Amino acid sequence: MQNKKNFYINGEWVSPLEPRPFQVINPATEEPCAEISLGKKKDIDAAVLSAKKAFETWSFTSKDERLDLLEKLYEIYKKNWDEMSKTISLEMGAPIDFATQLQTGTGASHIKSFKNILNDFKFEKILNEEKNQTVLYEPKGVCALITPWNWPINQVTLKVVPALAAGCTVVLKPSEIAPLSSMLLAEMIHEAGFPKGVFNLVNGDGAVTGEALTSHPDIDMISFTGSSLTGSKIMEACAPKLSQVALELGGKSALVIFDDTDLDKAVETTMKGFLTNGGQICTAHTRLVVQDSFKAPLLNKLKEELEKLPFCNDPITEKDRGDRAWEDGMTDVVQPIVCESQHKKVLRFLDEAKSAGVEFLTGGNVPDAETVGNAGGYFIQPTVLVNVERDADVWQKEVFGPVLSVRTFSTEQEAVLEANSTAFGLASTVMSSDPAKAMRVANRIRAGAVYATSNGEG
């Protein structure tokens, strides 16, 4: 078991001032793979102080200085690609090919993209040359970055890299459930030669570490990705000091499929939509809205395909079987749920659905040890619930597991109504062989991102 109890503060790995040991569990085996410490207020105070002091000089560094460091980080990241992939596979139970191509790949992509954006960005722009008016883009200050466990290095690089590129300093609190990839990134940042205090990492939970970080008076901005409940608490904590807050919260995205869609494409998109990463994606399409005349053929083939899927009981050796493309986000094995508490949460949703009389097309249970291939692992069968009531929790709330809820429609108006029947308008997809119809419906769906596809293209 790895010893990862130190925090990265002011350019050094330091012991916690108030140790709180916590075991990181491999979800495919239910065995501890590392021990970290959860930070407390004194640890956060030290990290924020370090970031505040570093901001005085880092904020005035040139764009070329920052570009040079980001380029070094990018090259170091690429050299450590395999180690990052194995680390994510260990902490997430992600199949190694999926971790390599998707999880690790997105981290590299974000570093490269923000590096390129910084290269082209102008921090000074002339507003009115005659009046000598200029707009200056200045770094915000000390940023508290709080990231989730489900897509760890993706979310971390999405926050850390642009903050550093802008001239801000950072205190990162990754999820305590999957912190190892963030700690590996901290080692890369150190190797790249970023000045002391520019980047700091303190592991911890939300109740103690997160609260100490978000309520700290010297934090200038908070970026949080996670549950809507936690997001509202963060906004409440920041209101008295008027800190800027950026939140990316829950999702309950809809996949709308018309009966003129190619059947194989519809099944593939449906499976990808709710099974990728074990269904643990905020933009997962966990609500299927299918035209009533297409329901039977789609669900029959979907059930057949789902019941063929094996369980990924050994993620570090799980290779792509070649049936589907990992690079497109498709997984051909069932990935474990990340931890025991999340596993229990998903099962509670399913138990409530059973008690309410919801019809299960397939799944709904924990697979037996013989099916999984070992005695452990937080696995749940891919589950499809049909004829779900619109006010049911499985239709309205974020389950964050391999669970798909299904409702039907007959007209475009009904499709829009079903797609919009949730408070979590994060993402949606509309499928039809008629591009005009797909776009027409997509334009009426209230979501942050809506994709209109013509049989998988578009």
Side-chain angles (χ1 to χ4, degrees), residues 321-375:
R321 292 178 173 79
D323 297 328
R324 300 182 179 91
W326 291 89
E327 58 269 22
D328 290 338
M330 190 64 216
T331 177
D332 59 0
V333 293
V334 181
Q335 184 173 324
I337 303 298
V338 73
C339 64
E340 182 180 14
S341 61
Q342 181 62 26
H343 189 250
K344 289 180 177 178
K345 176 186 173 184
V346 176
L347 291 176
R348 281 197 300 271
F349 271 105
L350 298 180
D351 288 342
E352 290 170 4
K354 290 174 184 176
S355 298
V358 175
E359 180 182 348
F360 282 62
L361 176 73
T362 187
N365 298 303
V366 175
D368 57 42
E370 182 179 353
T371 300
V372 175
N374 64 14

Side-chain angles (χ1 to χ4, degrees), residues 26-28 84-100 102-104 149-152 276-278 280 312-319 326 331 333-338 379:
N26 180 340
M84 179 63 76
S85 301
K86 291 176 183 177
T87 300
I88 294 173
S89 183
L90 184 69
E91 66 187 0
M92 279 293 299
I96 189 61
D97 278 4
F98 181 80
T100 299
L102 267 293
Q103 295 273 15
T104 302
W149 46 260
N150 63 313
W151 207 255
T276 300
N277 204 37
Q280 301 166 122
C312 181
N313 65 346
D314 188 11
I316 205 68
T317 63
E318 187 63 58
K319 297 293 183 180
W326 291 89
T331 177
V333 293
V334 181
Q335 184 173 324
I337 303 298
V338 73
F379 291 98

Side-chain angles (χ1 to χ4, degrees), residues 18-47:
E18 301 178 281
R20 284 196 297 153
F22 180 87
Q23 289 187 335
V24 180
I25 306 298
N26 180 340
T29 64
E30 302 181 43
E31 295 294 329
C33 60
E35 185 169 81
I36 64 171
S37 186
L38 305 180
K40 297 185 74 173
K41 186 178 183 304
K42 290 181 180 179
D43 302 300
I44 290 296
D45 287 344

Side-chain angles (χ1 to χ4, degrees), residues 25 51 112 181:
I25 306 298
K112 182 180 180 180
S181 52

Side-chain angles (χ1 to χ4, degrees), residues 197-217:
V198 168
F199 171 86
N200 305 272
L201 181 150
V202 178
N203 286 316
D205 53 6
V208 176
T209 321
E211 196 281 331
L213 184 57
T214 56
S215 62
H216 199 287

